[in-house]
Every structure is written in C-alpha cells, then in structure tokens.
Amino acid sequence: ASAAIWFAIALLLSEIRDDLEISKKEVWTSSIVGVGGTIFMRFLLGPFCDKFGARILFALVLCAASIPTACTGLVQTATGLAILRLFIGIAGGT
C-alpha cells in the first residue's frame, strides 16, 4: 500500500509538468524533496518502531500519507508540487 501511495504521482509527472507548465528541473527538485521526506521518516520511525511496534506506526503513516495523496489534484505551482511530494514521501518511510 505504501508503494502505491509513494509511486502514484511518479507515473503522472510528465502530465503534471505539462499541466503546471514547470521545468524538468522543478520536477527533479520535487522528486529529491520526496526522497528527503522518506529519509527523514526512516530516521524518525526507527526508534518509534522499537517502542510502539511497527504495525501501529505503519497504519498511522499510511493514514497520514493518504491525505496529501488525495490532494494531488489541488497543486497549482512547482512549490506546491515539492511540498506535496515531501508529505507523500513520508509513506516511503514505512
């Protein structure tokens, strides 16, 4: 499930780039920001998994990541895309 959330927007990036009229550099920036969110969440979730258990955190992360995924259609700028991908990147931390 987390892979579906994490990769859902990647398949649509060429269409999103054309629709928002942003450059390839801005698309790459959003991708890097998304991976950065994943790396941050992995560092954050590691100790919490030891304390609370992986199943609880997995469910919480998926619920949290579903909200920005549902808001994908509301993005209007390159900055908005980068912020959206940052929050979707948390799903990769599972």
Side-chain angles (χ1 to χ4, degrees):
S2 65
I5 290 173
W6 204 46
F7 289 114
I9 199 169
L11 300 173
L12 300 171
L13 279 178
S14 62
E15 189 67 33
I16 291 170
R17 187 186 70 213
D18 293 342
D19 190 45
L20 297 180
E21 298 176 353
I22 58 176
S23 68
K24 286 185 179 183
K25 181 180 176 184
E26 291 168 320
V27 172
W28 276 105
T29 300
S30 74
S31 297
I32 292 168
V33 168
V35 172
T38 300
I39 293 169
F40 174 74
M41 283 306 290
R42 291 216 175 202
F43 281 117
L44 186 68
L45 289 175
F48 284 117
C49 281
D50 293 338
K51 187 172 184 177
F52 300 109
R55 280 190 248 166
I56 293 170
L57 290 174
F58 185 76
L60 290 174
V61 168
L62 285 181
C63 288
S66 67
I67 296 168
T69 304
C71 294
T72 301
L74 302 175
V75 172
Q76 307 238 341
T77 63
T79 304
L81 180 63
I83 292 169
L84 178 82
R85 300 235 19 220
L86 172 68
F87 286 111
I88 290 175
I90 67 171
T94 55

